[in-house]
Amino acid sequence: MKEKLNKILKLDRRYLFVLLTLSIIIPIIKPIGIPSKSISTSVKDTYDFIEKMPEGSTIILSLDYDPSTAPELHPMAAAILKHTFKKNIKVIILTFIAGSGGLIDELVRTIPPQYSKEYGKDYVVLPYMANVLAALTQMASDIHSFYDKDINNKPLKDYEMMKNIKNYKDVAGVIGITGTALLDYWVVYVGDKYGVPILGGVTAISQVGYGPYLQKKQLKGLIGGMKGAAEYEKLISQPWKGTSGIDALNIAHILVIVFIIFSNIVLLILKFL
Amino acid sequence: MDTQVSVILGAFVASGLTLFIFSFLYKDNPFFKIAEHLYMGVGLAWHIQLTIYKIIIPKVWEPLKIAWQKGDTFTVWMTIIPTVLGITLVTQFIPKISWISRYGFTFLMGYAAGLALPAGLTTDFANQILGTIEPFANFFSLSLGKMVNAVIILIGTVSVLFYFFFSVEHKGVVKKISNFGIYFLMIYFGASFGNTVMARFSLLYGRFDLLVRYSQKEYFYATNWVIVGLLIYFIAEKLITNKLLKARA
């Protein structure tokens, strides 16, 4: 008995990798549709913030993620963009992460046409900027002095929606979706300093660290990880990658919990044998 | 290149590199090494081109050229001075003149400290203290849930602060309070680790989702072909190794 249990504990970990692979791949090939009924308060706050925004308002959407965190953040960026367009809110998209170019391009290629939105009138995309601190502080006085041209190298002032936008006073809020610490920068250098409402979308890893900002309302709302993305997709009734990923995540989590419980039981038995 | 061909080629490269990296989970192999070195090389090249085309050309070369043509001496100097300060940082690599880099670092430190200190103190220090105390100003008008929350946050903050307070010896009441702080820290680490696992699985889901997409007909079954290729390699390698070992024996 003892030998057998010891053998189980020394099982080649590659078998576990195979089980984990199957637990994620099977729901992708054949979705199970495990219901996700709960909606986190911070996700609901983000949804409500956009929902209550008057039509024609402008927000800054800072998409600061690259392919390494895209599975978690891209679905939430898509969901936010869909929601803002549905509510006729104008969007200034910008980034401080150079690798986000292709992902932003994919979003603006696919989502605006679904809502008949026009570039320059309903949304603009600003080019990548290297110095985030300089950008955040300069935009407080004049956005056009820092971003004189858009991503297509055309003067920003020529676009209809940008004619009445000078600085943070002219935007209703900032939503920072990032896999880095850039959301902290928005809170510290823009939210607290200029009283601009800041909302965020972050990876599950960094979600826990934003608790104090949420509690103090320095962050008006937060979407965390793929679960948050799935919740937001549910709120706007537009299921996409966040929703489909939840099946795989649920099964993989159950598998890990089973592994942990099983190995602990084996260890306990071994202790008393 | 024909769009269809480039899409299929892209699918083979993406699924191939993903599977080459994953193949390390079975054992180290040349395909993993290829993918690893490619990643290093491409990553470095990407950063070099980024610095040239997104920073040096638009932030240094173009403003300098335009200002020079207009005869705007002020802008010329305002571009040259920070550029030279930036270049001084590179002297770190030449020991004999590395002292020059101090000028660049001095400006960097002054700028960063001046910007970060006041803002950080307000956001992360003063506001957080306020956030902990504020609910007690109107405690009895809060809902039961918010009351419990406020008390837990206060106890957690104080006990964790006690744990990191080393000017008093941790014994008696102080030890009890700081030990209580450990439980709060453990809960935080546990929640953080749980979320980390969830995030890692999300990334894994992202890669597998892509592999499944590239296993379809429109991508010429790219994933399937790469898996077959890797399997042939591992089986052949095993057979050859076994044969060699037998021959030696």
Side-chain angles (χ1 to χ4, degrees), chain A residues 63-109:
Chain A
L63 300 178
D64 305 304
Y65 60 92
D66 59 12
S68 65
T69 46
E72 283 188 280
L73 304 174
H74 205 49
M76 56 177 85
I80 292 277
L81 207 56
K82 284 173 188 171
H83 192 195
T84 50
F85 284 155
K86 196 176 159 190
K87 293 291 300 174
N88 289 323
I89 290 159
K90 297 176 196 301
V91 186
I92 300 169
I93 299 171
L94 52 85
T95 184
F96 300 107
I97 299 284
S100 65
L103 294 162
I104 292 176
D105 183 56
E106 191 199 320
L107 286 179
V108 296
R109 212 167 3 94

Side-chain angles (χ1 to χ4, degrees), chain A residues 48-59 84 87-90 171-173:
Chain A
D48 289 342
F49 182 86
I50 295 176
E51 200 61 24
K52 283 174 192 161
M53 220 181 259
E55 267 192 26
S57 323
T58 305
I59 60 153
T84 50
K87 293 291 300 174
N88 289 323
I89 290 159
K90 297 176 196 301
V171 297

Side-chain angles (χ1 to χ4, degrees), chain A residues 153-170:
Chain A
N153 219 19
K154 287 183 181 162
L156 206 57
K157 278 186 175 166
D158 291 357
Y159 292 111
E160 193 187 319
M161 70 166 275
M162 291 305 291
K163 280 180 182 158
N164 298 321
I165 305 288
K166 193 175 185 308
N167 51 37
Y168 293 132
K169 282 178 190 160
D170 304 312

Side-chain angles (χ1 to χ4, degrees), chain A:
Chain A
M1 175 82 167
K2 205 173 177 179
E3 271 179 28
K4 272 184 186 171
L5 289 176
N6 270 321
K7 223 176 186 178
I8 290 172
L9 284 182
K10 283 174 188 164
L11 183 79
D12 190 338
R13 60 185 184 155
R14 287 177 293 190
Y15 290 115
L16 305 186
F17 294 154
V18 172
L19 280 175
L20 193 62
T21 303
L22 290 175
S23 75
I24 293 180
I25 281 212
I26 291 169
I28 295 174
I29 298 168
K30 199 165 173 52
I32 303 158
I34 299 170
S36 172
K37 288 181 180 171
S38 65
I39 304 280
S40 321
T41 319
S42 61
V43 175
K44 184 74 172 54
D45 288 345
T46 313
Y47 173 82
D48 289 342
F49 182 86
I50 295 176
E51 200 61 24
K52 283 174 192 161
M53 220 181 259
E55 267 192 26
S57 323
T58 305
I59 60 153
I60 292 176
L61 185 58
S62 184
L63 300 178
D64 305 304
Y65 60 92
D66 59 12
S68 65
T69 46
E72 283 188 280
L73 304 174
H74 205 49
M76 56 177 85
I80 292 277
L81 207 56
K82 284 173 188 171
H83 192 195
T84 50
F85 284 155
K86 196 176 159 190
K87 293 291 300 174
N88 289 323
I89 290 159
K90 297 176 196 301
V91 186
I92 300 169
I93 299 171
L94 52 85
T95 184
F96 300 107
I97 299 284
S100 65
L103 294 162
I104 292 176
D105 183 56
E106 191 199 320
L107 286 179
V108 296
R109 212 167 3 94
T110 52
I111 297 171
Q114 294 170 25
Y115 297 86
S116 312
K117 295 295 171 190
E118 207 179 301
Y119 186 82
K121 199 176 158 195
D122 303 298
Y123 70 99
V124 286
V125 182
L126 305 184
Y128 158 75
M129 277 291 165
N131 192 338
V132 57
L133 285 181
L136 296 190
T137 44
Q138 292 260 332
M139 280 197 290
S141 51
D142 187 6
I143 290 176
H144 298 275
S145 70
F146 203 75
Y147 287 102
D148 55 339
K149 285 170 183 167
D150 74 336
I151 195 148
N152 303 317
N153 219 19
K154 287 183 181 162
L156 206 57
K157 278 186 175 166
D158 291 357
Y159 292 111
E160 193 187 319
M161 70 166 275
M162 291 305 291
K163 280 180 182 158
N164 298 321
I165 305 288
K166 193 175 185 308
N167 51 37
Y168 293 132
K169 282 178 190 160
D170 304 312
V171 297
V174 175
I175 304 177
I177 296 180
T178 181
T180 67
L182 280 167
L183 185 58
D184 300 50
Y185 287 20
W186 280 109
V187 173
V188 176
Y189 297 107
V190 180
D192 277 9
K193 208 169 174 187
Y194 301 104
V196 183
I198 308 288
L199 299 101
V202 294
T203 57
I205 295 176
S206 39
Q207 187 188 358
V208 187
Y210 286 102
Y213 287 158
L214 277 171
Q215 186 235 347
K216 184 68 187 73
K217 295 280 174 204
Q218 288 162 296
L219 261 180
K220 308 291 177 208
L222 186 75
I223 309 171
M226 195 174 266
K227 187 178 176 286
E231 289 171 357
Y232 208 94
E233 286 172 5
K234 194 181 174 189
L235 283 169
I236 60 165
S237 309
Q238 299 237 15
W240 194 51
K241 290 285 173 193
T243 311
S244 63
I246 282 298
D247 265 358
L249 281 193
N250 278 336
I251 293 173
H253 284 172
I254 290 168
L255 190 73
V256 170
I257 292 167
V258 168
F259 284 158
I260 293 170
I261 293 172
F262 178 74
S263 50
N264 274 286
I265 290 170
V266 172
L267 276 170
L268 271 174
I269 296 170
L270 275 170
K271 201 178 169 186
F272 293 107
L273 267 179

